[in-house]
Amino acid sequence: MKGIVFTELLELVEEKFGIEMVDTIINESDLDSGGIYTSVGTYNFSEMLSLLTHLSKETGLSIDTLLEVYAEHFFGVIEKSYPGFLAQYDDPIEMLSCIENHIHVEVRKIYPDAELPTFTIEKKTEKTLVMLYRSSRAMYSFGLGLMNKTFEHFNSTATILLEKLKEDGTEVRFSITRNE
């Protein structure tokens, strides 16, 4: 997993819960990296899971809730770091439908060894999008948070339903309907 995902998580934890919480979750976690990350480094997903597990334990918030909040923070990083990328789109459904064939292609240019989830479009209209998410990491709640922020970015809202096709969350169907 790319280091930027770790550095931004720890920045969010510090912002929301304080530097003491960052120290606590790093110290409670068994991290090969020692909790020292660079944005361009690559680290084991198990470290992310350990940090999130301990943050959940300390805050009482579910890992899914933490991932959604983190995704909303991470979208802000994308807005700030890659504004031209978002400017290519003028519609949230269009942007989300391009995750696999455009957005992830661009991410791989920046981070060639990034391990990204896959998204398969099942149905797309002007107001709806149904897509399948697949990832061994089961971070579908991170995806949900990014989707919510995508609609917010375009001054729009949507109802996003998710259906776990596999109980472990490695395969999820997102059904998105733009609100009028």
Side-chain angles (χ1 to χ4, degrees):
M1 181 168 261
K2 296 312 295 177
I4 190 171
V5 179
F6 289 89
T7 60
E8 289 300 329
L9 174 67
L10 295 178
E11 188 171 308
L12 173 68
V13 171
E14 182 177 350
E15 178 184 301
K16 296 282 188 194
F17 304 107
I19 191 68
E20 297 82 14
M21 182 66 77
V22 173
D23 289 341
T24 298
I25 65 172
I26 288 173
N27 290 331
E28 289 180 356
S29 300
D30 182 23
L31 306 172
D32 290 339
S33 70
I36 301 168
Y37 303 104
T38 64
S39 62
V40 294
T42 302
Y43 306 93
N44 290 327
F45 175 65
S46 62
E47 292 196 24
M48 176 62 65
L49 192 55
S50 184
L51 290 167
L52 287 168
T53 300
H54 287 99
L55 183 59
S56 176
K57 184 182 90 175
E58 292 293 325
T59 62
L61 299 170
S62 72
I63 289 176
D64 285 341
T65 297
L66 291 169
L67 281 171
E68 273 190 65
V69 169
Y70 175 46
E72 292 174 3
H73 166 83
F74 200 81
F75 192 92
V77 173
I78 296 167
E79 282 180 310
K80 188 172 96 180
S81 301
Y82 307 101
F85 178 75
L86 295 175
Q88 296 177 54
Y89 300 96
D90 57 8
D91 177 78
I93 288 182
E94 187 62 33
M95 183 173 162
L96 292 174
S97 71
C98 290
I99 291 172
E100 193 64 33
N101 295 321
H102 183 240
I103 296 171
H104 281 175
V105 170
E106 295 300 317
V107 169
R108 284 189 181 92
K109 288 178 184 176
I110 300 167
Y111 302 106
D113 58 345
E115 296 176 36
L116 303 170
T118 61
F119 290 88
T120 306
I121 305 302
E122 288 189 326
K123 178 184 174 187
K124 179 185 170 204
T125 70
E126 264 188 42
K127 295 182 181 184
T128 64
L129 180 65
V130 179
M131 60 185 174
L132 292 180
Y133 160 96
R134 289 184 183 95
S135 174
S136 62
R137 295 183 174 143
M139 290 179 60
Y140 57 88
S141 292
F142 185 79
L144 178 61
L146 288 174
M147 290 175 197
N148 284 326
K149 286 302 278 188
T150 297
F151 277 89
E152 185 179 307
H153 175 78
F154 289 101
N155 298 313
S156 186
T157 60
T159 301
I160 304 174
L161 304 175
L162 65 88
E163 171 190 4
K164 284 186 184 179
L165 301 177
K166 291 190 176 177
E167 187 59 36
D168 64 359
T170 58
E171 196 168 309
V172 172
R173 175 177 288 117
F174 287 99
S175 299
I176 303 165
T177 305
R178 180 191 334 251
N179 298 330
E180 294 302 317

